[in-house]
Amino acid sequence: MTEYGRGAGREPWHPEDPLYGDQGWAGQQAVQGQGPYGGQPQHYQQEPQHSQPQQPYYDGGQHQQPQQPQQPQQPQQPQQPGHPGRPQPYNDQQQYGQGHNGGWDTGAHQQQEPVPYGMSPGADPYAAQQPAYGGEGPDYYAAPEAYPPPQPPNQRRAAPEPDRAPEWEPETEAEEQHPFFTGADDHDDDAYDDDPRESRGGRGGRGGDRRGGKTKKKKSRNGTACLFVTVVLVGGIGGVGYFGYQFYQDQFGAPEDFTGSGTGSVEVEVPKGAGLGQIGSILARKGVVKSSGAFVSAATANPKSQGIQPGVYPMKKEMSGKAAVDLMINPSNLNALIIREGQRNVAIYEEIDKKLKLDAGTTEDVAEKEFKDLGLPEWANDDPDIKDPLEGFLYPSRYDIGGKSTPKSMLKEMVTRAAAKYEAANVEAEATRLGLNSPMDLITVASLVQVEGKYKHDFDKVSRVVYNRLKPNNTETVGRLEFDSTINYIKAESRLDIGAVDDLRQLRDPYNTYDIKGLPPGAISNPGAEALNSAINPKPGPWYYFVSVTADKTLFAVTNAEHEKNRQQYEDELENSGQ
């Protein structure tokens, strides 16, 4: 068997194999004594081999060639890795027959039996062979553009004849076949005959649909599709333009607004913590302004809009944003009742009647008859001489007036708030700590501090004067408070000159502190949080007297003589001021 796995003949595996040079298969024979590789010698000097039978040869691991008759022993040629049969020079450091990783066996393998042609042998002794002799030759069958692997002569395919047409058709660009554009689904089955045969056109849908030899012209939908697309585009552009305009108006355009001060009347309640945007939305829902933006724009331009308070506002409909802001920044337009610290119940009843547009005395009558149903604490109204059980329990604050407000509902809201404040201050325990008879006495002290202490920074000292005068060992006032505020409470007045002391002591009334010792039966005003805190925490000191000379100056004294000097200074201040 010759090298390169050939059979009996000298025909090469491929006519275009460049390794064969000019002596390939173009009708020429190899020169005697030369191999088919362009003049390379076919035989090389070989070292002695081990005595071993010749093994069958496998062509590429796929087919076994029939064993040839025994020829005279020729020197074995080394094989090129990846290209069996091509002679290569020996490597000086690797000898035939020596152990080599991936090289030829040294005789340890056994003789294999021949395998019929066309069957796969058990193993290819050359399949995993590494270059055994130093150099790496090019593998012309491994690259994508390599020659096809060799085939036996009986399985080779003849080259196509020059005048024979190729077996493939040139590819053409596919035409659009979607039924939306071609109208392929727009056919009428009744337009065809009953012949079930159908002739298809060429590739890409050419040739049309034919039934029974008749070709039906398809209805084109190109015009309808274009019209549909045009409508969609026009509609989309219109929608984008509309929303773009709205966005521009919202961001940059002037908001919709009414003109003028409005007409009619509507009540609007602004909740606590509401911002300008929320207020504008409330006004727009009520029909006061045309848009929230109109109010927000006008409020932003007016720095006083930050003073808009929560509460109920009597508004008009269809007001401009500026008119709505101007009305709401004026506290007098807020439909609410504001109770001042130290204000008496009599004045509060009158204001409720005015706010609710009721006859004078209506609220006072409700307070007198229904005070037990308004939520007073259990310790309140603990003395039969108390003139008004609600005095001291109409807590100073602002109370919104709505369409459903009544004298009873408003009074109950005030009492409920006062009770909660007093409970939070723990007045029951504090009254016991201070040596008072009841929590009601503590509220009474707070009401006195609120009225007598003209300024809040004096409340702590005024509270100490009250507690010092209540002491049994008080030699300055002999246990009497002698506060002018109690006389004004009795007379429902607010005067500085209340008369001579001897005359005042002739007034018989349980609230007359010039006559009685100790506290009056109940509060004389509605104290605020500061006065209550000072009543609970009086400042330590020996003072029994005080007089306010100016707004920033209050003089406190321990003895009556010192107090008279302070009073003279007060009168001088009044004279110099022209009062």
Side-chain angles (χ1 to χ4, degrees), residues 164-225:
R164 186 174 180 179
E167 297 181 358
W168 62 87
E169 295 181 6
E171 294 186 0
T172 57
E173 183 179 359
E175 297 181 0
E176 181 59 60
Q177 294 183 354
H178 196 283
F180 180 83
F181 295 99
T182 61
D185 60 342
D186 188 19
H187 61 266
D188 187 2
D189 292 341
D190 296 339
Y192 299 96
D193 55 21
D194 296 335
D195 190 350
R197 294 175 300 174
E198 180 179 5
S199 176
R200 297 183 180 178
R203 297 176 62 182
R206 294 190 297 270
D209 295 336
R210 293 182 296 175
R211 296 187 181 182
K214 298 180 180 180
T215 303
K216 180 180 182 292
K217 184 178 181 180
K218 298 179 181 179
K219 299 179 182 179
S220 175
R221 278 191 173 180
N222 292 342
T224 305

Side-chain angles (χ1 to χ4, degrees), residues 111-142:
Q111 178 72 27
Q112 298 184 8
E113 294 297 331
V115 181
Y117 184 80
M119 300 294 290
S120 298
D124 185 359
Y126 304 102
Q129 179 176 340
Q130 300 293 332
Y133 302 104
E136 289 188 4
D139 187 356
Y140 297 97
Y141 302 101

Side-chain angles (χ1 to χ4, degrees), residues 94 98-104 128-132:
Q94 292 182 346
Q98 294 179 350
H100 183 268
N101 184 17
W104 292 351
Q129 179 176 340
Q130 300 293 332

Side-chain angles (χ1 to χ4, degrees), residues 236-254:
I237 294 173
V240 171
Y242 173 77
F243 288 108
Y245 174 77
Q246 292 296 326
F247 176 80
Y248 177 83
Q249 289 294 322
D250 293 340
Q251 298 296 324
F252 308 105

Side-chain angles (χ1 to χ4, degrees), residues 320-341:
S320 67
K322 182 179 183 303
V325 172
D326 291 342
L327 188 149
M328 298 182 75
I329 61 177
N330 188 352
S332 63
N333 293 324
L334 181 64
N335 194 10
L337 176 63
I338 298 176
I339 297 177
R340 301 183 309 275
E341 296 176 346

